[in-house]
């Protein structure tokens, strides 16, 4: 695997030797002083260029970065709606394990090449034309203190969609139940856990994309309880996961409410939990019949 020094030299050499590339910026985890360093970190690179269409017309120009396992060009895809912001990204995974997420930015957009992201540094500026940036910080990704309304909405969404999971389980519609469990209910649980962490750290930390740093901020009990919410591929396993989610959400949300002087919807919790237990009993009775 090429080292970080080799990759950075390659990226800058490509830019230096191509007159169309006028500047190079980098953002993402490699500019974040608080992000753990490892071999899987992407190189999030921006080339500020003249004549962007000439790059897109040349299908081989990116081969200079090395042999690829796979590449994605989001702006040319229909499955994932393109940004259509004038920029053109190449997402490249190389055979040596390195990955470059390279975005071509038209020179006309140079003043906003990083789209306001504070985790950004300038690596090369041939024309001394880019705006000066402060030292990179991940403060834009810190957990934000919720308003009372946002807290209430999170609780409502969690308990409301929990009933959809129960309905799917009673109907023996595994994909329906799993989808609502993981796409709607789980994000509310993760959000509540992040708020709890935010309170404990004065809202001065980031839990990372998808909450990937949550483990180091949660108690061992809470982490194990969170892990128990990932079900096996059985109906009983999903029921157990749903109730484990409810227990963890309740305890976490009550703690958040107490610390922020908000009101936790105890009656909603009690009524929905009773309903879930009722539906589970109906499902158990039905399975005995069949």
């Amino acid at each position: 695997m090429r080292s970080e020094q080799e990759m950075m030299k390659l990226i800058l050499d490509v830019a230096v030797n191509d007159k169309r590339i006028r500047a190079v910026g980098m953002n993402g985890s490699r500019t974040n002083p608080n992000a753990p360093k490892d071999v899987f970190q992407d190189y999030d690179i921006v080339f500020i260029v003249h004549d962007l269409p000439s790059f897109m017309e040349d299908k081989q120009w990116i081969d200079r970065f090395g042999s690829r396992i796979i590449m994605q060009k989001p702006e040319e895809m229909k499955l994932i709606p393109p940004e259509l912001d004038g920029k053109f990204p190449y997402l490249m995974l190389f055979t040596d394990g390195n990955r470059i997420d390279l975005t071509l930015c038209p020179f006309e957009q140079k003043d906003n090449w990083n789209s306001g992201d504070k985790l950004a540094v300038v690596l090369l500026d041939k024309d001394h034309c880019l705006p000066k940036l402060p030292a990179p910080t991940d403060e834009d990704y810190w957990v934000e203190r919720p308003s009372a309304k946002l807290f209430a909405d999170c609780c409502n969404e969690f308990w409301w969609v929990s009933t959809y999971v129960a309905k799917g389980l009673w109907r023996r519609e595994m994909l329906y139940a799993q989808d609502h469990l993981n796409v709607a209910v789980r994000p509310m649980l993760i959000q509540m856990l992040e708020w709890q962490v935010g309170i404990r750290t004065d809202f001065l930390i980031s839990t990372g994309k998808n909450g990937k740093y949550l483990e180091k901020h949660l108690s061992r009990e809470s982490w194990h309880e969170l892990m128990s919410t990932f079900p096996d591929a059985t109906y009983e396993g999903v029921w157990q996961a749903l109730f484990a989610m409810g227990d963890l959400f309740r305890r976490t949300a009550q703690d958040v409410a107490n610390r922020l002087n908000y009101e936790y919807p105890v009656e909603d919790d009690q009524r929905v939990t009773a309903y879930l237990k009722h539906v589970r009993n109906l499902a158990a009775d039905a399975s005995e019949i069949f």
Side-chain angles (χ1 to χ4, degrees):
M1 188 177 193
R2 288 168 291 179
S3 68
E4 181 178 25
Q5 291 74 21
E6 290 174 305
M7 291 299 294
M8 295 302 297
K9 183 179 185 303
L10 172 61
I11 290 166
L12 290 174
D13 283 348
V14 169
V16 167
N17 293 314
D18 193 322
K19 293 181 179 180
R20 297 169 299 174
I21 303 171
R22 305 313 303 167
V24 181
M26 182 168 69
N27 49 25
S29 66
R30 287 187 179 273
T31 68
N32 185 353
N34 295 318
K37 303 298 182 182
D38 63 42
V39 297
F40 287 101
Q41 283 182 296
D42 305 338
Y43 293 86
D44 295 298
I45 301 296
V46 179
F47 281 175
I48 294 88
V49 304
H50 287 308
D51 194 13
L52 189 149
S54 68
F55 289 92
M56 298 165 58
E57 293 166 3
D58 181 358
K59 305 300 182 184
Q60 279 74 50
W61 82 271
I62 53 174
D63 292 346
R64 65 192 74 180
F65 293 107
S67 176
R68 298 182 299 275
I69 294 175
I70 191 171
M71 176 172 67
Q72 186 174 97
K73 294 185 280 188
E75 289 299 296
E76 292 184 350
M77 298 181 70
K78 290 187 177 180
L79 178 65
I80 304 171
E83 295 287 339
L84 299 176
D85 59 358
K87 299 175 183 177
F88 194 88
Y90 297 83
L91 313 181
M92 300 174 285
L93 177 63
F94 300 97
T95 54
D96 71 345
N98 277 299
R99 172 173 163 168
I100 299 178
D101 288 354
L102 172 64
T103 298
L104 302 182
C105 173
F107 191 80
E108 294 74 22
Q109 297 185 34
K110 61 181 174 57
D111 291 339
N112 193 37
W113 68 268
N114 61 328
S115 301
D117 188 357
K118 293 180 181 177
L119 282 175
V121 296
V122 175
L123 302 178
L124 176 68
D125 187 357
K126 295 178 181 179
D127 306 308
H128 305 287
C129 63
L130 298 185
K132 292 188 179 298
L133 298 175
T137 173
D138 64 355
E139 64 183 43
D140 285 346
Y141 302 92
W142 292 350
V143 177
E144 294 185 10
R145 179 188 180 98
S147 65
K149 173 61 174 167
L150 191 59
F151 172 82
D153 287 350
C154 181
C155 293
N156 181 267
E157 179 74 356
F158 179 90
W159 292 113
W160 171 254
V161 183
S162 293
T163 66
Y164 286 71
V165 180
K167 178 170 63 176
L169 293 174
W170 184 89
R171 288 176 172 172
R172 309 290 285 184
E173 296 171 345
M174 178 62 80
L175 296 182
Y176 179 94
Q178 290 271 25
D179 189 57
H180 284 84
L181 183 77
N182 291 306
V183 176
V185 178
R186 186 177 303 284
M188 296 303 100
L189 173 59
I190 297 298
Q191 179 65 86
M192 194 62 69
L193 287 166
E194 289 178 336
W195 285 336
Q196 185 182 58
V197 169
I199 292 169
R200 293 172 178 171
T201 58
D202 294 325
F203 295 99
L204 295 176
I205 62 101
S206 166
T207 56
K209 187 176 182 179
N210 305 119
K212 62 184 178 181
Y213 302 140
L214 261 179
E215 181 177 5
K216 65 182 181 181
H217 295 291
L218 294 180
S219 67
R220 180 173 297 181
E221 177 188 5
S222 291
W223 179 253
H224 287 316
E225 195 168 354
L226 177 60
M227 291 300 97
S228 75
T229 68
F230 291 90
D232 59 24
T234 65
Y235 287 98
E236 178 58 27
V238 180
W239 275 118
Q240 292 177 6
L242 177 60
F243 283 106
M245 278 191 181
D247 291 342
L248 180 56
F249 185 88
R250 177 183 304 111
R251 188 175 73 247
T252 306
Q254 287 176 334
D255 180 53
V256 171
N258 290 336
R259 290 170 179 263
L260 296 180
N261 198 27
Y262 293 162
E263 183 177 352
Y264 177 70
V266 175
E267 293 184 357
D268 285 354
D269 177 342
Q270 292 174 340
R271 288 192 294 262
V272 171
T273 300
Y275 172 81
L276 298 178
K277 291 179 179 179
H278 176 66
V279 175
R280 186 183 189 182
N281 289 334
L282 291 177
D285 292 342
S287 65
E288 291 178 2
I289 293 174
F290 294 103

